[in-house]
Amino acid sequence: RNSHFSTIMKYEGDLYLLCTDIAFAHTHIVWERLDEVDGDTSYCDANFKVNNSSSDETAALAAAQAQEDLLVAGAIANTTDQD
């Protein structure tokens, strides 16, 4: 159920986290650059090119929506199993 993993890489002096969330599966987002301590990071493609701010916002919203969808699906599955 909780089979998560993290991959961190250092490229040209910056740290990058591999984006493994299902929300990024159909986007060109591959890496999250970890350069801010307040959580305001940038999303990058496979070539470490930073996307514009609207793409970052879209990717972050998609990831949040996917997480919410998983929680709802889990709640429905638990309700169904109890019946």
Side-chain angles (χ1 to χ4, degrees), residues 5 10 12 20 34 36 42-43 45 47 64 71 78:
F5 69 94
K10 187 173 184 179
E12 295 185 354
T20 58
L34 302 176
E36 298 289 334
S42 299
Y43 293 102
D45 64 14
N47 296 315
L71 292 173
N78 287 338

Side-chain angles (χ1 to χ4, degrees), residues 8-19:
I8 295 178
M9 180 175 157
K10 187 173 184 179
Y11 179 76
E12 295 185 354
D14 291 321
L15 290 176
Y16 293 88
L17 176 66
L18 184 64
C19 295

Side-chain angles (χ1 to χ4, degrees), residues 32-52:
E32 179 181 3
R33 187 168 64 187
L34 302 176
D35 59 346
E36 298 289 334
V37 295
D38 62 359
D40 189 21
T41 59
S42 299
Y43 293 102
C44 303
D45 64 14
N47 296 315
F48 301 96
K49 303 293 183 205
V50 177
N51 292 309
N52 62 29

